[in-house]
């Protein structure tokens, strides 16, 4: 980058002046830029579909703006926002996703009068809601029931998900002896209440080969 | 208590408070986006990148940038030594180095810098008044190229690219991942790969701060105009000017590779001073001070005597 300037003789031990090593500057500068361009190209590799917190439904905008500052993770009163795993792709790593193991997203109805805190704190506007957005119009994802592992489909009469759903998006059919749950796609916004309530992975009720709960929220891109 | 201890305590305390905030859900944010509630001061690189990527002017981003630049114009790169966790992590890394290796490295550095001092003193002129060794430093270096590369990549590919590998972001991510591993049983390769990437960056690039870090580059761009708290040598006290004896302890101790007494020989100039006070502490004759307003007569680096601080800009560099 900069030309070496030798205005005066070298120091006695023949050491070059540290700051005038232009080759190193050049190599580091070009190498670093190349690495960053390569990282940028990850954009075209993409990542697995990831469920986003409210306001992150425009995936392109979210990736554009998220600086992985973890403010939303910290702000979430129900601790459902978590950093995405590297398994979902390096590009998505540490960006916000949702984990409904213990709780679900109620759009901060209880905690903040229905204004999601993650959206409020997001400093870069990566999480941003369109005007007039409500909990029901914000489609985080959609619940999917796995009939192979669902306890209700093994005639246990389990109906936790039905009881948990705040939007009447889980309905029970007339199956005898016990009714079975089904998801009403139009009503489900992917809040995760059913997943949080599902007991299919709890001790004593594990179906063979099950690695996740019988009802899980999938983001729309993954369906 | 010397300032190195105070500095370490400040860095660790800031990091610990933010890490505890992350774990407990108390809102302090991280160094990438620091703040309470809807108030946020965003990392200047993050703010810049996110605005470039979305091609919008973000009020919070613009305000953060203005605040950061204003701070940098006063205290230069002080963030680097008083807040950033990276130098402390590198010191932890050094802790694991074999003692003999570490001593050999330290001795080599000290010898090199003392030889420079001896060489300069041997010319027979008084260092403070001579100016014969003045040499212009490059105004930009590899860090600035990487800053430019990061922003260019962000512009082309449309997302904050450097944030993916930023060691500050990775260190907070490590805290969250470890906490989620033990607190929530969340098992992912990230918990190994994130710290591995962080360690790779800090071990493989031992001069990360001075040669790679674009945040440092950004601070350097504005810090070069920051005059307050720059270290100054009182020539009436300095061993090298009063007795003509080789000392150079201020250069040996400097983590930013600035040679305060013989500025032409430092990798960086006072533009990169992180206000860490190590040179003030180490000076055997207490000749170095860091005044808010530079005293006349006392000498710092020749770059300080540049009359017009904007000269670098005018040259188009």
């Amino acid at each position: 980058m900069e030309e070496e300037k030798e205005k005066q003789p070298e120091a006695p031990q023949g050491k070059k002046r540290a700051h005038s090593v232009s080759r190193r500057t050049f190599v580091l500068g070009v190498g670093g830029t190349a690495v960053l361009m390569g990282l940028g190209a990850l954009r075209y590799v993409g990542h697995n579909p990831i469920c986003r917190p409210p306001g992150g439904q425009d995936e392109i905008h979210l990736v554009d703006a998220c600086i992985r500052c973890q403010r939303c993770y910290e702000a979430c009163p129900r601790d459902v926002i978590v950093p995405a795993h590297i398994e979902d792709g390096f590009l998505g790593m540490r960006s916000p996703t949702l984990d409904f193991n213990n709780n679900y997203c109620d759009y901060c109805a209880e905690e903040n009068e229905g204004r999601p805190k993650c959206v409020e704190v997001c400093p870069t506007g990566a999480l941003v809601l369109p005007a007039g957005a409500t909990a029901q119009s914000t489609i985080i994802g959609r619940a999917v029931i796995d009939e192979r592992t669902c306890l209700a489909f093994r005639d246990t009469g389990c109906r936790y998900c039905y009881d948990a759903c705040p939007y009447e998006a889980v309905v029970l059919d007339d199956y005898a002896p016990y009714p079975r749950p089904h998801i009403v796609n139009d009503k489900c916004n992917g809040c995760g209440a059913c997943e949080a309530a599902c007991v299919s992975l709890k001790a004593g009720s594990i179906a063979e080969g099950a690695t996740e709960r019988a009802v899980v929220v999938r983001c729309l891109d993954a369906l | 208590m010397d300032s190195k201890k105070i500095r370490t305590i400040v860095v660790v305390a800031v990091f610990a408070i933010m890490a505890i905030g992350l774990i407990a859900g108390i809102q302090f944010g991280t160094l990438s986006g620091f703040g309470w509630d809807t108030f946020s001061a965003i990392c200047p690189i993050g703010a810049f990148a996110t605005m470039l990527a979305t091609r919008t002017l973000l009020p919070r981003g613009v305000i953060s940038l203005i605040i950061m630049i204003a701070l940098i114009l006063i205290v230069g790169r002080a963030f680097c030594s008083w807040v950033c966790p990276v130098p402390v992590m590198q010191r932890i890394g050094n802790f694991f180095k074999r003692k003999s290796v570490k001593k050999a490295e330290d001795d080599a550095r000290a010898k090199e810098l003392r030889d420079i001092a001896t060489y300069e003193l041997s010319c027979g002129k008084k260092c403070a008044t001579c100016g014969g060794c003045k040499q212009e430093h490059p105004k930009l270096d590899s860090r600035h190229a990487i800053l430019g590369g990061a922003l260019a990549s962000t512009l082309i590919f449309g997302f904050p690219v450097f944030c993916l590998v930023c060691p500050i972001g990775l260190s907070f991510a490590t805290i969250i991942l470890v906490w989620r591993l033990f607190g929530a049983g969340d098992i992912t390769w990230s918990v190994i790969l994130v710290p591995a990437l962080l360690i790779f960056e800090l071990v493989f690039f031992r001069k990360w701060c001075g040669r790679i870090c674009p945040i440092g580059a950004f601070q350097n761009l504005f810090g070069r105009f920051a005059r307050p708290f720059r270290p100054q040598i009182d020539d009436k006290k300095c061993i090298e000017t009063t007795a003509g004896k080789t000392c150079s302890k201020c250069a040996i101790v400097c983590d930013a590779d600035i040679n305060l007494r013989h500025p032409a020989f430092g990798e960086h100039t006072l533009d990169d001073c992180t206000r860490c006070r190590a040179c003030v502490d180490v000076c055997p004759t207490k000749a170095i001070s860091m005044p808010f307003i530079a005293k006349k007569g006392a000498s710092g680096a020749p770059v300080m005597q540049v009359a017009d601080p904007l000269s670098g800009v005018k040259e188009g560099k």
Side-chain angles (χ1 to χ4, degrees):
Chain A
M1 297 190 82
E2 302 289 334
E3 287 293 310
E4 268 186 43
K5 287 176 188 170
E6 290 299 321
K7 284 184 185 168
Q8 68 158 54
E10 298 254 300
Q13 56 304 98
K15 282 267 179 195
K16 276 194 178 171
R17 283 184 216 169
H19 68 263
S20 57
V21 184
S22 58
R23 189 184 299 155
R24 188 193 60 218
T25 302
F26 184 77
V27 168
L28 275 178
V30 171
T33 302
V35 167
L36 287 163
M37 287 292 171
L39 282 172
L42 281 175
R43 185 89 201 222
Y44 296 113
V45 178
H47 52 72
N48 294 345
I50 298 172
C51 279
R52 298 301 192 183
Q57 278 61 49
D58 181 350
E59 179 69 23
I60 291 172
H61 176 75
L62 185 122
V63 175
D64 277 354
C66 177
I67 58 166
R68 281 100 168 131
C69 70
Q70 316 296 348
R71 288 293 308 269
C72 52
Y73 164 84
E74 198 174 51
C76 181
R78 296 179 163 234
D79 291 333
V80 293
I81 300 181
V82 295
H85 290 173
I86 197 168
E87 285 84 346
D88 291 323
F90 192 73
L91 176 64
M93 185 173 72
R94 289 157 59 210
S95 60
T97 185
L98 297 159
D99 170 9
F100 296 125
N101 264 333
N102 301 312
N103 219 324
Y104 71 100
C105 173
D106 73 339
Y107 220 65
C108 288
E110 263 178 48
E111 296 83 359
N112 202 25
E113 295 156 3
R115 286 172 286 121
K117 281 199 169 174
C118 46
V119 178
E120 281 190 353
V121 300
C122 179
T124 62
L127 297 177
V128 60
L129 287 166
T134 61
Q136 265 166 303
S137 74
T138 306
I139 309 299
I140 294 168
R142 192 193 298 149
V144 178
I145 294 176
D146 184 347
E147 297 179 0
R148 291 168 304 155
T149 53
C150 174
L151 297 175
F153 281 80
R154 285 190 275 155
D155 296 333
T156 58
C158 175
R159 45 182 275 175
Y160 280 109
C161 55
Y162 173 78
D163 292 337
C165 181
Y167 304 109
E168 295 173 351
V170 183
V171 290
L172 296 175
D173 61 15
D174 297 329
Y175 195 86
Y178 295 110
R180 295 171 168 179
H182 299 277
I183 305 293
V184 184
N185 288 346
D186 293 347
K187 288 188 177 175
C188 177
N189 72 349
C191 75
C194 51
E195 184 178 337
C198 181
V199 295
S200 67
L201 266 192
K202 293 254 162 70
S205 56
I206 299 175
E208 206 175 322
T211 53
E212 56 185 2
R213 297 181 183 187
V215 56
V216 289
V217 174
R218 301 246 186 264
C219 55
L220 296 183
D221 290 343
L223 290 169
Chain B
M1 193 151 59
D2 66 1
S3 54
K4 187 174 180 179
K5 271 188 200 139
I6 302 175
R7 238 181 320 136
T8 311
I9 291 170
V10 171
V11 170
V12 171
V14 168
F15 189 81
I17 287 171
M18 289 182 170
I20 291 168
L22 275 177
I23 289 170
I26 311 163
Q27 290 192 42
F28 299 119
T30 61
L31 289 175
S32 317
F34 164 76
W36 294 264
D37 252 6
T38 53
F39 166 81
S40 271
I42 320 172
C43 154
I45 305 300
F48 210 168
T50 194
M51 288 195 286
L52 267 184
T54 56
R55 280 131 173 106
T56 42
L57 274 181
L58 220 65
R60 275 192 272 213
V62 174
I63 294 168
S64 297
L65 270 175
I66 292 171
I67 293 173
M68 298 298 169
I69 290 171
L71 282 173
I72 295 166
L73 285 174
I74 298 169
V75 294
R77 279 183 57 200
F79 170 84
C80 298
S81 65
W82 290 91
V83 185
C84 183
V86 170
V88 171
M89 287 191 283
Q90 281 183 319
R91 288 225 305 275
I92 295 172
N94 274 338
F95 186 76
F96 292 107
K97 216 183 257 178
R98 280 225 315 278
K99 265 195 183 150
S100 55
V101 176
K102 198 171 168 327
K103 191 169 182 306
E105 281 174 7
D106 289 348
D107 288 350
R109 175 182 160 92
K111 183 181 183 304
E112 185 188 335
L113 288 164
R114 268 196 218 100
D115 285 350
I116 286 168
T118 312
Y119 164 70
E120 277 221 304
L121 290 169
S122 67
C123 80
K125 294 174 196 157
K126 282 202 167 175
C127 263
T129 51
C130 165
C133 300
K134 241 193 228 178
Q135 191 195 32
E136 220 172 291
H137 279 70
K139 293 260 188 284
L140 302 171
D141 55 54
S142 50
R143 293 169 301 167
H144 300 95
I146 288 170
L147 173 64
L151 294 178
S153 180
T154 297
L155 194 63
I156 295 169
F157 299 104
F159 72 102
V161 178
F162 183 72
C163 297
L164 289 184
V165 292
C166 170
I168 300 175
L170 290 176
S171 40
F172 284 104
T174 303
I175 300 290
I176 297 178
L177 288 165
V178 170
W179 172 250
R180 297 241 342 128
L181 176 67
F182 292 109
D186 184 10
I187 298 168
T188 155
W189 280 107
S190 314
V191 80
I192 294 170
L193 292 172
V194 166
L197 180 59
L198 178 63
I199 290 168
F200 168 80
E201 285 172 2
L202 301 187
V203 172
F204 196 71
F205 299 104
R206 282 178 50 215
K207 296 266 180 187
W208 179 276
C209 303
R211 292 178 190 168
I212 310 263
C213 182
I215 308 170
F218 180 85
Q219 293 180 76
N220 165 279
L221 285 177
F222 296 96
R224 61 185 62 186
F225 305 121
R227 289 292 172 274
F229 306 119
R230 283 195 180 199
Q232 280 191 325
I233 301 177
D234 182 350
D235 289 330
K236 294 188 200 81
K237 291 185 189 165
C238 174
I239 292 179
E240 295 203 359
T241 39
T242 51
K245 269 192 256 169
T246 301
C247 171
S248 267
K249 282 191 171 152
C250 48
I252 294 165
V253 82
C254 183
D255 279 339
D257 290 322
I258 300 164
N259 194 329
L260 189 62
R261 180 76 276 177
H262 309 282
F265 292 88
E267 178 175 339
H268 294 299
T269 65
L270 277 178
D271 291 348
D272 270 301
C273 176
T274 63
R275 311 324 195 240
C276 75
R277 297 188 65 85
C279 53
V280 178
D281 287 342
V282 80
C283 181
T285 54
K286 302 267 174 285
I288 302 174
S289 60
M290 286 173 57
F292 181 71
I293 296 167
K295 287 180 208 115
K296 287 216 170 124
S299 73
V303 281
M304 289 189 59
Q305 291 149 15
V306 173
D308 180 3
L310 290 170
S311 58
V313 175
K314 283 178 190 154
E315 284 163 39
K317 286 188 177 176

